Protein backbone atom coordinates (compact mmCIF):
# COMPACT_ATOMS: atom_id res chain seq x y z
CA UNK A 1 0.00 0.00 0.00
CA UNK A 2 1.37 3.41 -0.97
CA UNK A 3 2.37 5.68 1.86
CA UNK A 4 -0.04 8.42 0.76
CA UNK A 5 -2.87 5.88 0.81
CA UNK A 6 -1.98 4.81 4.36
CA UNK A 7 -1.93 8.43 5.46
CA UNK A 8 -5.31 9.08 3.88
CA UNK A 9 -6.87 5.98 5.41
CA UNK A 10 -5.46 6.84 8.83
CA UNK A 11 -6.90 10.35 8.58
CA UNK A 12 -10.34 9.02 7.68
CA UNK A 13 -10.32 6.50 10.53
CA UNK A 14 -8.69 8.49 13.32
CA UNK A 15 -9.19 12.20 12.59
CA UNK A 16 -11.05 12.62 15.88
CA UNK A 17 -8.03 11.33 17.76
CA UNK A 18 -5.77 13.76 15.95
CA UNK A 19 -8.09 16.60 16.96
CA UNK A 20 -7.75 15.42 20.55
CA UNK A 21 -3.97 15.70 20.29
CA UNK A 22 -4.24 19.20 18.82
CA UNK A 23 -6.82 20.23 21.40
CA UNK A 24 -4.78 18.78 24.24
CA UNK A 25 -1.70 20.86 23.58
CA UNK A 26 -3.87 23.90 22.94
CA UNK A 27 -5.42 23.43 26.37
CA UNK A 28 -1.97 22.96 27.89
CA UNK A 29 -0.67 26.23 26.48
CA UNK A 30 -3.86 28.08 27.38
CA UNK A 31 -3.83 26.92 31.00
CA UNK A 32 -0.06 27.20 31.49
CA UNK A 33 0.01 30.69 29.96
CA UNK A 34 -2.91 31.85 32.09
CA UNK A 35 -1.36 30.30 35.19
CA UNK A 36 1.94 32.06 34.46
CA UNK A 37 0.17 35.41 34.34
CA UNK A 38 -1.85 34.74 37.48
CA UNK A 39 1.07 33.42 39.52
CA UNK A 40 3.92 35.63 38.29
CA UNK A 41 2.61 38.98 37.11
CA UNK A 42 3.13 41.62 39.84
CA UNK A 43 -0.34 43.10 39.25
CA UNK A 44 -2.03 39.75 39.89
CA UNK A 45 -3.78 39.26 43.21
CA UNK A 46 -2.85 35.58 43.06
CA UNK A 47 0.84 36.42 42.66
CA UNK A 48 0.70 38.83 45.59
CA UNK A 49 -1.03 36.18 47.71
CA UNK A 50 1.66 33.64 46.89
CA UNK A 51 4.38 36.08 47.90
CA UNK A 52 7.59 37.29 46.27
CA UNK A 53 9.45 33.96 46.19
CA UNK A 54 9.49 32.63 42.65
CA UNK A 55 9.59 28.98 43.64
CA UNK A 56 6.33 29.42 45.56
CA UNK A 57 4.77 31.04 42.50
CA UNK A 58 6.00 28.13 40.40
CA UNK A 59 4.21 25.76 42.76
CA UNK A 60 0.97 27.45 41.74
CA UNK A 61 1.78 27.02 38.04
CA UNK A 62 2.88 23.44 38.62
CA UNK A 63 -0.36 22.51 40.33
CA UNK A 64 -2.38 23.90 37.42
CA UNK A 65 -0.25 22.19 34.79
CA UNK A 66 -0.06 18.86 36.60
CA UNK A 67 -3.78 18.76 37.34
CA UNK A 68 -4.62 19.60 33.73
CA UNK A 69 -2.42 16.85 32.31
CA UNK A 70 -3.90 14.27 34.67
CA UNK A 71 -7.46 15.39 33.89
CA UNK A 72 -6.88 15.21 30.13
CA UNK A 73 -5.24 11.80 30.42
CA UNK A 74 -8.27 10.44 32.27
CA UNK A 75 -10.84 12.02 29.96
CA UNK A 76 -12.60 9.61 27.54
CA UNK A 77 -10.91 11.05 24.47
CA UNK A 78 -7.56 11.37 26.21
CA UNK A 79 -7.71 7.65 26.92
CA UNK A 80 -8.51 6.95 23.29
CA UNK A 81 -5.69 9.01 21.78
CA UNK A 82 -3.26 8.10 24.57
CA UNK A 83 -2.94 11.76 25.61
CA UNK A 84 0.53 12.21 24.12
CA UNK A 85 0.23 15.96 23.40
CA UNK A 86 3.97 15.91 22.72
CA UNK A 87 5.93 14.91 19.57
CA UNK A 88 8.72 13.49 21.73
CA UNK A 89 6.32 11.17 23.56
CA UNK A 90 4.83 10.07 20.24
CA UNK A 91 8.33 9.39 18.91
CA UNK A 92 9.15 7.18 21.87
CA UNK A 93 5.94 5.16 21.55
CA UNK A 94 6.37 4.90 17.78
CA UNK A 95 9.86 3.51 18.30
CA UNK A 96 8.40 0.79 20.51
CA UNK A 97 5.74 -0.06 17.94
CA UNK A 98 2.83 1.29 19.97
CA UNK A 99 1.61 3.54 17.17
CA UNK A 100 1.66 3.10 13.39
CA UNK A 101 3.84 5.41 11.30
CA UNK A 102 0.89 7.13 9.61
CA UNK A 103 -0.85 7.76 12.93
CA UNK A 104 2.39 9.00 14.50
CA UNK A 105 2.89 11.51 11.70
CA UNK A 106 -0.66 12.79 12.02
CA UNK A 107 -0.24 13.01 15.80
CA UNK A 108 2.90 15.12 15.39
CA UNK A 109 1.32 17.37 12.75
CA UNK A 110 -1.72 17.87 14.97
CA UNK A 111 0.44 18.64 18.00
CA UNK A 112 2.48 21.28 16.17
CA UNK A 113 -0.62 22.81 14.60
CA UNK A 114 -2.36 22.99 17.96
CA UNK A 115 0.69 24.54 19.62
CA UNK A 116 1.11 27.19 16.93
CA UNK A 117 -2.58 28.09 17.08
CA UNK A 118 -2.59 28.25 20.87
CA UNK A 119 0.62 30.26 21.00
CA UNK A 120 -0.84 32.90 18.68
CA UNK A 121 -4.16 32.88 20.53
CA UNK A 122 -2.64 33.32 23.97
CA UNK A 123 -0.29 36.02 22.68
CA UNK A 124 -3.32 37.95 21.46
CA UNK A 125 -5.57 37.26 24.46
CA UNK A 126 -2.97 38.07 27.11
CA UNK A 127 -1.06 40.77 25.22
CA UNK A 128 -1.24 43.39 27.99
CA UNK A 129 0.47 41.06 30.47
CA UNK A 130 2.39 38.52 28.40
CA UNK A 131 5.38 40.75 27.66
CA UNK A 132 6.26 41.26 31.33
CA UNK A 133 9.83 39.99 32.03
CA UNK A 134 8.55 37.54 34.66
CA UNK A 135 6.36 35.86 32.03
CA UNK A 136 8.13 36.60 28.73
CA UNK A 137 5.30 35.25 26.56
CA UNK A 138 5.54 31.91 28.38
CA UNK A 139 8.50 31.00 26.20
CA UNK A 140 11.21 28.55 27.19
CA UNK A 141 14.80 29.71 27.16
CA UNK A 142 18.13 28.86 28.84
CA UNK A 143 19.43 30.85 31.76
CA UNK A 144 21.80 33.69 30.95
CA UNK A 145 25.49 32.91 30.83
CA UNK A 146 28.08 31.42 28.50
CA UNK A 147 27.12 27.83 29.33
CA UNK A 148 23.43 28.37 29.97
CA UNK A 149 22.49 26.50 26.80
CA UNK A 150 24.47 23.43 27.89
CA UNK A 151 22.85 23.42 31.32
CA UNK A 152 19.41 23.79 29.73
CA UNK A 153 20.09 20.98 27.27
CA UNK A 154 21.22 18.66 30.05
CA UNK A 155 18.18 19.54 32.13
CA UNK A 156 15.82 18.89 29.19
CA UNK A 157 17.46 15.53 28.54
CA UNK A 158 17.13 14.56 32.19
CA UNK A 159 13.48 15.48 32.67
CA UNK A 160 12.48 14.05 29.27
CA UNK A 161 14.13 10.75 30.13
CA UNK A 162 12.43 10.70 33.53
CA UNK A 163 9.01 11.35 32.02
CA UNK A 164 9.35 8.69 29.34
CA UNK A 165 10.72 6.15 31.80
CA UNK A 166 7.84 6.85 34.18
CA UNK A 167 5.28 6.41 31.42
CA UNK A 168 6.84 3.18 30.19
CA UNK A 169 7.08 1.77 33.68
CA UNK A 170 3.46 2.56 34.46
CA UNK A 171 2.30 0.99 31.19
CA UNK A 172 4.52 -2.09 31.12
CA UNK A 173 5.82 -3.23 34.48
CA UNK A 174 4.05 -6.09 36.21
CA UNK A 175 3.42 -3.89 39.25
CA UNK A 176 2.50 -0.78 37.31
CA UNK A 177 0.25 -2.71 34.93
CA UNK A 178 -2.26 -3.32 37.72
CA UNK A 179 -2.65 0.41 38.16
CA UNK A 180 -2.29 1.61 34.56
CA UNK A 181 -5.73 3.19 34.50
CA UNK A 182 -5.02 5.22 37.64
CA UNK A 183 -1.25 5.59 37.56
CA UNK A 184 -0.03 6.84 34.17
CA UNK A 185 -1.99 10.11 34.12
CA UNK A 186 -1.33 10.89 37.78
CA UNK A 187 2.37 10.12 37.41
CA UNK A 188 2.70 12.33 34.33
CA UNK A 189 0.87 15.16 36.08
CA UNK A 190 2.97 14.84 39.23
CA UNK A 191 6.21 14.80 37.27
CA UNK A 192 5.28 17.87 35.25
CA UNK A 193 4.31 19.74 38.41
CA UNK A 194 7.64 18.81 39.98
CA UNK A 195 9.58 19.84 36.89
CA UNK A 196 7.86 23.24 36.82
CA UNK A 197 8.98 23.91 40.38
CA UNK A 198 12.49 22.45 40.23
CA UNK A 199 13.69 22.53 36.63
CA UNK A 200 11.94 25.55 35.09
CA UNK A 201 14.66 28.03 36.17
CA UNK A 202 17.21 26.11 34.09
CA UNK A 203 15.46 25.77 30.73
CA UNK A 204 11.89 26.95 31.12
CA UNK A 205 10.70 23.33 31.44
CA UNK A 206 9.74 22.45 27.90
CA UNK A 207 9.88 18.65 27.44
CA UNK A 208 7.94 19.38 24.27
CA UNK A 209 9.23 20.73 20.92
CA UNK A 210 5.72 21.73 19.82
CA UNK A 211 5.08 23.67 23.04
CA UNK A 212 8.33 25.60 22.67
CA UNK A 213 7.83 26.32 18.96
CA UNK A 214 4.27 27.54 19.50
CA UNK A 215 5.25 30.15 22.07
CA UNK A 216 8.49 31.08 20.28
CA UNK A 217 6.71 31.85 17.01
CA UNK A 218 4.04 33.87 18.80
CA UNK A 219 6.70 35.86 20.68
CA UNK A 220 8.76 36.37 17.52
CA UNK A 221 11.94 34.99 19.05
CA UNK A 222 13.44 31.55 19.54
CA UNK A 223 16.55 31.55 21.75
CA UNK A 224 18.39 28.25 21.25
CA UNK A 225 15.30 26.66 19.74
CA UNK A 226 17.32 23.68 18.54
CA UNK A 227 18.02 22.39 22.03
CA UNK A 228 14.27 22.10 22.75
CA UNK A 229 14.04 19.76 19.78
CA UNK A 230 17.26 17.80 20.25
CA UNK A 231 16.92 17.37 24.02
CA UNK A 232 13.37 15.98 24.39
CA UNK A 233 13.29 14.06 21.09
CA UNK A 234 16.71 12.50 21.59
CA UNK A 235 16.14 11.70 25.26
CA UNK A 236 12.74 10.08 24.81
CA UNK A 237 13.87 8.07 21.80
CA UNK A 238 16.97 6.87 23.66
CA UNK A 239 14.94 6.02 26.76
CA UNK A 240 12.48 4.01 24.67
CA UNK A 241 15.35 2.16 22.99
CA UNK A 242 16.99 1.38 26.33
CA UNK A 243 13.65 0.17 27.67
CA UNK A 244 13.17 -2.03 24.62
CA UNK A 245 16.59 -3.63 25.03
CA UNK A 246 16.54 -4.28 28.76
CA UNK A 247 12.84 -4.95 29.32
CA UNK A 248 11.88 -6.57 26.03
CA UNK A 249 10.44 -9.77 27.49
CA UNK A 250 8.22 -7.93 29.92
CA UNK A 251 7.09 -5.46 27.29
CA UNK A 252 5.97 -8.27 24.98
CA UNK A 253 4.29 -10.21 27.77
CA UNK A 254 2.33 -7.20 29.01
CA UNK A 255 0.48 -6.57 25.74
CA UNK A 256 1.71 -3.00 25.22
CA UNK A 257 -0.89 -0.34 24.46
CA UNK A 258 -1.76 0.74 20.92
CA UNK A 259 -2.54 4.28 19.90
CA UNK A 260 -5.14 5.36 18.95
CA UNK A 261 -7.28 3.06 21.06
CA UNK A 262 -10.26 2.00 18.95
CA UNK A 263 -12.04 0.04 21.67
CA UNK A 264 -15.58 1.21 22.54
CA UNK A 265 -15.80 3.91 25.20
Amino acid sequence: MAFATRMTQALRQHWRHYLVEAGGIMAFLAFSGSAAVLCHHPDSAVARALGPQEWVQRVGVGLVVGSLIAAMAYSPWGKRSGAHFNPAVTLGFWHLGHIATADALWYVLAQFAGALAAGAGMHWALAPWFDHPSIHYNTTKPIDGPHGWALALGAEVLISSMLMLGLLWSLHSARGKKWTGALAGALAGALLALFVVVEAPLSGMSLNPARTLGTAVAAGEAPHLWLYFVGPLGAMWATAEAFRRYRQRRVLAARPPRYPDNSPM
Side-chain angles (χ1 to χ4, degrees), residues 36 40-42 54 57 131-136:
H40 292 302
H41 198 283
E54 290 189 4
Q57 296 173 351
D131 63 348
H132 192 274
S134 62
I135 301 162
H136 200 264

Side-chain angles (χ1 to χ4, degrees), residues 223-264:
H224 297 287
L225 180 64
W226 64 271
L227 70 84
Y228 296 101
F229 278 73
V230 173
L233 289 169
M236 292 200 188
W237 181 88
T239 302
E241 172 61 15
F243 191 88
R244 184 190 68 81
R245 291 189 179 191
Y246 293 104
R247 303 290 297 276
Q248 186 174 14
R249 292 182 180 178
R250 293 190 179 184
V251 169
L252 294 176
R255 291 186 62 192
R258 291 287 300 178
Y259 308 110
D261 181 0
N262 293 309
S263 60

